[in-house]
Amino acid sequence: MTLTGTERFTVRRPAADHLAVAGLPPAGHFIGGSFVPGSSTDSIDVMDPATENVIASVPAGTAADVDLAVDAAVSAQKAWGSTTPKERSGVLSRIANIIEANRETLEQLESANTGKPRAVAEDDVSSTIDTFRFMAGACRTLTSLAGGDYATGHTSVILREPVGVVGVITPWNYPLLMAAWKIAPILAAGNSVVLKPSEQTPLSTLKLAELVAGHIPDGILNVVTGQGRTVGQRLAEHPDIALVALTGSVVSGQAVAETAARSVKRVHLELGGKAPVVIFPDADLAAAAAGVRNAGFWNAGQDCGAACRVLVHESVAEEFTNLLVGEVGSLIVGAPGAGDDIEIGPMISRTHFERVRDSLAEAKADGFQAAIGGSVLDAPGYFIEPTVFSNVPAGAAIASHEIFGPVVTVESFSTTEEAILRANETPYGLSASVWTKDAGLSLSVPKQLDFGTVWVNSHLVLACEVPWGGFKGSGYGRDLSLYALDDFSRTKHVMINHGA
Ligand code: NAD
C-alpha cells in the first residue's frame, strides 16, 4: 500500500509483546578479561524503545572503575604493542569469526535495545564482521615514507608505533558497529582500549566482550558502562590515556576536546551531520527518490549521514517531491519483532522522541505543511511517522539543525552556484550527495562541496577500504580504511649516523 499524504502510518507490533530478550550479557564492567561489579551499586536501566519495557540494567560506572580499566589496559598494551602485525591480524580474525558464529544473538540484542528493524541489525552485524576482517588484513600492509639517506652520512627509518591506551566513547544509533569501527583499527595498530558504550545501548558491546573473553589477550579490550559526564569525562581526562575517540553529538565532542586539551591528549571526533542531497534537473528522479527513501529513513533517520536535506532544481522540484512522497508512503513502520519487512523502528528514547516531535511542531508553527507524515504515532514505543516537508525556503530552521529522525526536507534552487552555496551553508561537513547524469557536474560539484564524503547518484554506501569522517562541525579524524590506522598510530623517525 502506498500512502498519499492524507492517510496515516500505523505501528505494526508482534503478537506477543513481552518476548524475553535472549542472550543478555553479564551486568558488569569488562576489565582485564572478566566481568567485575564496579565500585558503585548505582545502576542504569536499559530499555526497549519499541515497547518501553526495561530489559536489563548495567552498572553506573565511576571514575574509579575507569581507573581500574586503564590500569588493565596499560599493562596489557605492553605485550600487545610488541606483537607482530601477523599476530594481531590473527586475533582480529578470531574476533570476526566469533561475531559471525554469534550473529543471531547479536542482531537480536541490538534490535531489542535500539528498536531497529532486523534488516538494519543484520546489516550492522555484517559490517561489524567486515570491519574486523578488513583491519586484520590492513594492519599487515602498512606503508610509509621510504627509509633512506636524507641527510649526508645518515640513514632514516620511519617507524609506526601504537599510541598506547585509547579511550573510546560510542553513541546509541549503531552501538556494535560504532564500537567495531574503533576497536578494530585501535587493536590492529597495537593499542589497548577502554570503551564506554552509550548508557542507552550497552548490551551488544558487553555481549561482544563476553563472547571474546578468553579468546583475546586479557586487558586489551575493556568496557566500562555509565554516563558521559562521569565515565566519559574520566576517559577524556585520564593521564594514562593517550588518545580519546568519540562518536556522538557536537556538544559531547566539544566537552571531550576541552577536557582532553588539559593533558594535551590526542582527540578523534566523529560528530553530527546534516547531509544535503543535491538533485540536478537531468538526474534520474525516480532513482533519486528511491535513494532518499533508503538513505533518509535507514535506521529511522538516526544516522549521521542520513539523506535528510534535499536541494532539488526548481524545474523538477514538484515532480521529484511527488515521487518521494510515493516512495516514503510505502515505508513499513513497526517493532522489530513484527516481521522481517519492517523498515522504520522507534526513536531511541523518550527524550529523543520528544526532541524530534518538537522539531515537527516548530516546523508546523513556522507554517510548513508535511507532504506526508508529520505526526507522532501511538504508544507504547517512541514511533514517529516518516515525514517529508516540501517547499522549504532557504535558511528554515527545520533544514538547518540535525533532527536525527525520519524527517526529510525539500528545498529548491535555480543555479548550480546557488546549489553549492546553499549545500555548504551548514555547520556540519560529514556527507553529501549529488544526483546528475552530467559527467562534468559529477566531478566539479563534489570538489566544491565541504563534506568528508560526497556520493554521486548514490547515498550512504560505505566500504571498509575508504575513509569515513567529517569536516567543520562534524569533527576530525577518520574511521575505516588505512587512514583510521594512521589516526590510531604515531610516527617515529629514527636517524642513524653512519660515522659514529
Ligand atoms: P551523545 O553525544 O549524546 O552521546 C555519545 C556518547 O558520548 C555517549 O556514550 C555519551 O554517554 C557520551 N557523552 C555525552 N556527554 C559526554 C561528556 N561530556 N563527556 C564524555 N562523554 C560524553 O550522542 P548520541 O545521542 O549517543 O548519538 C547521536 C549523535 O552522534 C548524533 O549527533 C550523530 O550525528 C552522531 N553520530 C556521528 C557519527 C559519525 O560517524 N560522525 C556516527 C554515529 C552518530
Side-chain angles (χ1 to χ4, degrees), residues 156-356:
S156 287
V157 178
I158 310 293
L159 300 178
R160 181 91 66 107
E161 297 183 342
V163 295
V165 178
V166 180
V168 173
I169 301 167
T170 54
W172 48 257
N173 58 345
Y174 297 101
L176 183 66
L177 184 59
M178 293 302 99
W181 279 15
K182 305 296 191 222
I183 295 168
I186 289 168
L187 293 185
N191 308 286
S192 57
V193 187
V194 180
L195 186 149
K196 187 201 90 64
S198 165
E199 57 277 22
Q200 296 173 79
T201 56
L203 300 183
S204 54
T205 308
L206 289 172
K207 190 71 192 175
L208 174 67
E210 182 192 4
L211 292 169
V212 301
H215 300 285
I216 67 172
D218 290 347
I220 61 168
L221 170 63
N222 305 276
V223 180
V224 179
T225 57
Q227 303 287 350
R229 61 182 177 275
T230 47
V231 176
Q233 166 75 16
R234 183 62 184 153
L235 288 173
E237 69 191 11
H238 198 294
D240 293 337
I241 289 183
L243 186 157
V244 63
L246 174 135
T247 302
S249 63
V250 176
V251 173
S252 308
Q254 286 167 328
V256 162
E258 273 180 44
T259 305
R262 286 182 226 138
S263 53
V264 200
K265 207 185 273 348
R266 277 170 65 180
V267 180
H268 184 283
L269 299 175
E270 297 288 354
L271 308 178
K274 183 82 180 176
V277 178
V278 183
I279 302 173
F280 287 99
D282 69 321
D284 179 337
L285 297 183
V292 174
R293 178 194 195 276
N294 180 52
F297 295 90
W298 185 257
N299 207 34
Q302 300 171 118
D303 190 305
C304 45
C308 54
R309 182 187 171 211
V310 174
L311 283 153
V312 57
H313 191 268
E314 59 191 4
S315 64
V316 293
E318 192 178 339
E319 185 184 350
F320 172 78
T321 304
N322 289 337
L323 286 167
L324 181 60
V325 167
E327 286 285 351
V328 172
S330 67
L331 285 165
I332 302 171
V333 182
D340 289 346
D341 55 343
I342 298 291
E343 295 173 286
I344 301 280
M347 302 293 93
I348 189 68
S349 64
R350 173 155 298 283
T351 311
H352 186 52
F353 167 83
E354 288 172 356
R355 208 181 298 143
V356 177

Side-chain angles (χ1 to χ4, degrees), residues 274-278 306-311 394-395 398-400 407-411 421-426 451:
K274 183 82 180 176
V277 178
V278 183
C308 54
R309 182 187 171 211
V310 174
L311 283 153
I398 187 105
S400 309
V407 182
V408 170
T409 57
V410 182
E411 303 166 60
L421 193 75
R422 300 247 310 271
N424 285 333
E425 264 174 8
T426 163
F451 298 86

